[in-house]
Amino acid sequence: MERLVGWCFFILTGVASAMPAHTPVPGGIAIVRLGAASHATESPAIHFQGRRVLVVRNANDWLAIVGIPLDTKPGTATLEVEGSGERPPVTHSFVVAAKQYPVQKLTISDHRKVDPQPEDMKRILREQEVITKVRTHWAPGEAVDLALMLPADAPLSSRFGLRRVLNGQSRNPHNGLDLAVPRGTPIRSTAAGSVTFAGDLFFAGKTVFVDHGQGLISMYAHLDEIGVRVGEQLARGQRLGLSGMTGRVTGPHLHWTIYLNGTAVDPEYFIRP
Ligand SMILES: [Zn+2]
């Protein structure tokens, strides 16, 4: 079993603020040591559940930063090394601990956003296909910045992982963080990256996706106004739109999701001032 590194992110990124030690849990991340990097110039290609994983260099080690899906069962999880040429293939493992997220009950006044009509379902399925492509996209990136800034200076209103009950019905858990911003607040990109989606979605409303490389992808939802186009390169902190209350909402706020290897993880692991 590989030793898990409850490491400080500043070692990885040069940012002078420490990441609290943590245990891999569903919706969290695992930092897994892959071994010596001294002679290898290219980072190893690592996969988790069939998806490529972000790898960073830390002095003489390669570290995999793995996103753990919210529906992962506690127990041992395995990373696979691509093209190791060895039989059996080289693997690394880590242990996922259980985590129980609180329940959140919400009332949505637009009932159609809770119980979509048949024509809505067609649109939702079409959009899900597009979103899946965007959130699972792999763009090579040498120096991925893991120290993310908040997209707006505002208090958190809903945390990641809440088990949601909408109008008395159980729905998917909350896959991002909500920031309490009034309509019209400038929203900025959490890190440098390129815009891979900008459009209007049934549940998320006006939405922007930014790809930061190596499977680290951010999403900004319920915007009032989108100020960027697909293909545009954004600097860290660059404005991408204005907050609003489009899509399925109880009121104005920003919904912010961070994806790693295709899965939504708690953005609070990455937030740096
Ligand atoms: Zn949200």
Side-chain angles (χ1 to χ4, degrees), residues 218-235:
S218 58
M219 181 256 216
Y220 312 81
H222 311 310
L223 300 175
D224 193 52
E225 213 179 283
I226 293 173
V228 290
R229 289 196 187 141
V230 170
E232 211 170 306
Q233 295 293 320
L234 302 182

Side-chain angles (χ1 to χ4, degrees), residues 89-112:
V90 174
T91 59
H92 300 268
S93 54
F94 57 94
V95 175
V96 179
K99 178 166 182 177
Q100 188 78 294
Y101 290 92
V103 172
Q104 183 185 41
K105 292 180 180 171
L106 295 172
T107 304
I108 307 283
S109 54
D110 183 355
H111 293 275
R112 200 167 155 180

